[in-house]
Amino acid sequence: MRATKRTRVPEETTATGGISRRGVLGGVMAGLAALPAAGPAHAAPRKPAPTAPAAGPAAAPILSAARSGHGVGAPRGSDIAITAGRAKEGRFGVMFKKLPAFAPSDELLADLAQQMVDRTPPLADVSLSNDGFDNPDIPAGYAYLGQFIDHDMTLDRTPMPLQEVDPKGLTNFDTPFFELGSVYGRGPAADPQLYEPADPRRLRIGRNHDGFPDLPRNADGTAVIGDHRNDENLIVAQFHLTFLQLHNKLVDEGRTFDEAQRLVRWHYQWLIVHDFLPRIAGKALVDSMLRPRRGGPTGVDCRFYKPGNPTRPMMPIEYSVAAYRFGHSMIRAEYEMHDAVTIPFFGKPSNDLRGSRPLPTIARADWNYFFDVPGMSVPDDRNMTRLIDTKLALPLDELPPTVVQHVDGAILSLAHRNLLRGKRLGLPAGQDVARAMGLAPIPNDRLGLTDPRWNGRAPLWFYVLKEAELLGGRTLGPVGGRIVAEVILGILSLDRTSFLNAPNGWAPERTPFRSGDFLEMAGALENMPVGNEDEGAEDDPGAEETEETEELHAEDDVEVEPEPAG
């Protein structure tokens, strides 16, 4: 195993230090990303991943055969435009109500989905990623912060009796507010399983088999948390854990439950506004939308997101089914969890990053490989997100059985599922949305859609990705960025308890405050893998691997690749 000693450096040095290998490569090319899939780190050459057959039109394709809600499920009420009309609002609604739905043929969508697959052979180690397609502006952790944010918005805690009388979600019994329902549930009284029995001010934290912090878990390995989706992969599960740690740390410092909860929520919301959104939608756009008032609440300029019920605002399908799915383009096929340990996103069972199981010690995250961490130098093989573009990593073309049931007719390609869902839920075309925003639409020839059957229009999800790609792929473009920023900032501004509406204004004690600062504040950096401690051991090429390492780093002739499609 390779070992690299990491040292702490002054914060100002981190910000202005030398150029890393990724910093150089990230600026070489902009366009279609081609980041390969990967298996565990070892030196043996890898066989190219098999090329999937081209997809033609499927007879009665199955879109609903899903085991989980992330990326594949259709949340209750998201079909409102089809079932109740484009003017209706419930849990979901339509932002541009006067625009018609765009319904290209299923055959066109299937063909386009196949063009959106990056078939680059797998990498054995993230350090080999030298093709210039990593996004130098966005470390990989932000893709999982984005996933956490999505789950927080779309969590449906509507009691089952109310869901049964309103199966189409026409009444918004819940809210998309950023109140961390996945962390706190409905509070200690209603969800006591999330809290320590001896001290219900504190959230429950578990331990893995080696005694390291983990989510609290049932006997079958599944997490005891407010939203099972945050246990779907080991990265977002560990990120969820940091919220539990921060809350308990604040309680231990003498805060009441309510004070600790408010501070956790406000620091999280601050990250969304001042760290996540500027990276995703562009700082200039975010700054232009905020209307700060000295010593008072901050207003938000929303031109297009105007929900009819401001106390329980709807989520636009243009956001949830198209624009916010930009994150699928950012997912890597492999991640270096800590020094010299690279694990595939989807691979062989138990040898990848799928969750719903106790955290394997080998997969513990060194957060410096995912975020800028205060006082730590940048590793030259830090995981970066993929560019925001029209190529998805190979594992997302063959979703494993734990995500989608492999039954006859099931669609396993995430791109295909997204495109079909957009059509079936009544999304408008990308060019129509651009015109409604007062922007010059990008013609199909620039989008690469040359088939005349598109009739000069493009699916909104593809349009958002291609718009970003044509601008270099480092952030969303004008259409995608505006939709995402308006919905997130708009919902925050409508929440009377959010930090934007603090009567006297509010900011963290230390600014700028970013994700690395949040992790440090939570104490999450104290339990990072020993091999990467600041004063860690010198390189020891003869160091023995643990049994767990040997299991994950299988023999050189064993392939680790996405599960076969059935």
Side-chain angles (χ1 to χ4, degrees), residues 68-350:
S68 69
H70 174 61
V72 291
R76 187 175 64 90
S78 59
D79 56 353
I80 190 169
I82 303 301
T83 60
R86 305 184 75 78
K88 293 288 186 179
E89 292 184 5
R91 292 193 67 229
F92 293 85
V94 180
M95 181 183 287
F96 300 95
K97 294 177 170 55
K98 295 181 180 180
L99 297 183
F102 179 46
S105 71
D106 286 2
E107 180 182 2
L108 271 177
L109 296 177
D111 290 344
L112 178 58
Q114 285 300 298
Q115 297 170 34
M116 296 180 70
V117 181
D118 171 11
R119 302 194 182 282
T120 308
L123 284 179
D125 193 279
V126 169
S127 66
L128 302 176
S129 179
N130 60 359
D131 53 18
F133 292 123
D134 290 351
N135 188 337
D137 295 339
I138 307 181
Y142 288 93
Y144 295 92
L145 171 56
Q147 183 179 350
F148 185 93
I149 291 168
D150 172 69
H151 293 172
D152 193 29
M153 294 182 70
T154 58
L155 176 61
D156 185 5
R157 295 179 295 177
T158 305
M160 188 56 65
L162 294 179
Q163 290 191 31
E164 291 174 351
V165 300
D166 182 38
K168 295 182 179 180
L170 300 182
T171 301
N172 196 355
F173 293 105
D174 212 329
T175 72
F177 293 154
F178 300 99
E179 53 195 3
L180 294 176
S182 62
V183 172
Y184 293 104
R186 295 164 296 172
D191 283 319
Q193 72 279 7
L194 303 181
Y195 297 84
E196 291 186 4
D199 186 357
R201 298 174 305 160
R202 293 170 52 87
L203 290 156
R204 283 182 60 195
I205 292 178
R207 297 279 171 178
N208 75 353
H209 67 279
D210 285 333
F212 294 107
D214 191 8
L215 297 176
R217 296 189 178 276
N218 295 306
D220 63 359
T222 57
V224 182
I225 53 177
D227 189 338
H228 73 278
R229 294 174 298 174
N230 283 354
D231 192 31
E232 286 178 357
N233 72 68
L234 296 176
I235 300 175
V236 76
Q238 292 180 77
F239 193 68
H240 184 110
L241 175 63
T242 66
F243 286 85
L244 311 183
Q245 292 172 312
L246 177 56
H247 175 89
N248 287 355
K249 182 178 178 181
L250 293 172
V251 169
D252 292 343
E253 291 174 353
R255 270 90 167 184
T256 66
F257 174 85
D258 290 339
E259 289 171 339
Q261 182 185 58
R262 176 176 57 81
L263 283 173
V264 173
R265 285 174 171 170
W266 281 8
H267 281 89
Y268 160 60
Q269 293 166 2
W270 181 276
L271 290 184
I272 294 173
V273 175
H274 295 287
D275 190 21
F276 177 75
L277 274 181
R279 293 176 187 268
I280 298 303
K283 187 176 185 301
L285 173 61
V286 174
D287 288 347
S288 71
M289 293 180 62
L290 296 175
R291 297 287 185 268
R293 305 179 183 97
R294 179 179 291 275
T298 297
V300 173
D301 174 25
C302 284
R303 302 176 187 174
F304 308 106
Y305 177 59
K306 301 182 182 298
N309 183 354
T311 62
R312 294 185 180 273
M314 62 84 173
M315 285 176 286
I317 59 172
E318 294 93 334
Y319 169 87
S320 62
V321 184
Y324 201 78
R325 295 194 177 219
F326 72 88
H328 294 163
S329 163
M330 299 169 68
I331 295 173
R332 296 183 63 93
E334 75 290 305
Y335 292 89
E336 187 156 352
M337 299 306 294
H338 50 270
D339 189 42
V341 176
T342 298
I343 302 178
F345 187 70
F346 289 142
K348 291 185 176 179
S350 80

Side-chain angles (χ1 to χ4, degrees), residues 49 121 138 186 197 213 252 349 392 428 439 459 464 517 544:
I138 307 181
R186 295 164 296 172
D252 292 343
L392 273 63
L439 301 170
V464 165
D517 301 287
E544 294 183 1

Side-chain angles (χ1 to χ4, degrees), residues 12 22 29-30 46 144 183 319 335 380 414 470 481 502 525:
E12 64 271 18
R22 290 187 180 277
M29 297 178 65
R46 304 298 303 273
Y144 295 92
V183 172
Y319 169 87
Y335 292 89
D380 67 351
L414 183 57
L470 292 172
L525 306 182

